[in-house]
Amino acid sequence: MTAATANYEGSCLCGRVRYRVAGELGAMSNCFCTDCRKSHAAPFATYLDAPRPGFTFLKGEDNLTTWTCESGTKRSFCKSCGSIVVCFSDTDQKSIEISAATVDTPFDKKPEYHIFVRSKVAWYDIQDGKPQHKAYQPK
């Protein structure tokens, strides 16, 4: 790692779990799938792509529980406060999805698109003009 490599750090709500990303953050997106909505108890979840080889837990990895959804997607959340920290698939070794709101280091990204809008709740209107995809968008 060189001095020019970006580093981002983040944590769960209670601070028992902390992580670092060495490398640039990728795309930021809002996911409206049922799994994300239910697990975040919100109309959508916002994720940042991060390089999986550059992702490390600084502390609290043993304080995580991982839930595997029917789709095979895994979500790791803090056992103490319930914050979803990461979302990933065993088939993608290149990237990991970080819950954007857990990143503590300032960054200047904004959501680029919306995915799984076919599962969007009727009471939430997307009005930002960003692309909307009914299903997963390959990176």
Side-chain angles (χ1 to χ4, degrees), residues 19-133:
Y19 63 83
R20 176 179 293 141
V21 176
E24 290 301 324
L25 298 173
M28 186 178 199
S29 63
N30 294 325
C31 183
F32 290 81
C33 80
T34 303
D35 292 340
C36 283
R37 287 190 298 102
K38 296 282 186 169
S39 64
H40 284 264
F44 59 88
T46 304
Y47 289 106
L48 281 160
D49 289 338
R52 197 162 181 176
F55 182 89
T56 55
F57 286 103
L58 300 175
K59 73 174 192 174
E61 188 173 7
D62 60 336
N63 204 52
L64 290 171
T65 293
T66 299
W67 170 261
T68 304
C69 300
E70 232 176 90
S71 66
T73 301
K74 296 180 177 185
R75 288 173 175 75
S76 294
F77 58 93
C78 175
K79 292 178 195 177
S80 300
C81 67
S83 295
I84 295 175
V85 180
V86 293
C87 179
F88 60 96
S89 168
D90 289 337
T91 59
D92 183 359
Q93 295 300 310
K94 291 182 180 181
S95 66
I96 190 166
E97 302 288 325
I98 299 171
S99 292
T102 66
V103 180
D104 298 328
T105 305
F107 61 92
D108 62 358
K109 291 190 172 285
K110 294 190 188 294
E112 297 175 26
Y113 57 90
H114 306 281
I115 57 173
F116 291 104
V117 297
R118 68 176 183 226
S119 302
K120 183 181 81 55
V121 292
W123 48 264
Y124 183 83
D125 292 326
I126 302 170
Q127 299 182 3
D128 62 7
K130 303 285 183 190
Q132 297 181 29
H133 306 285

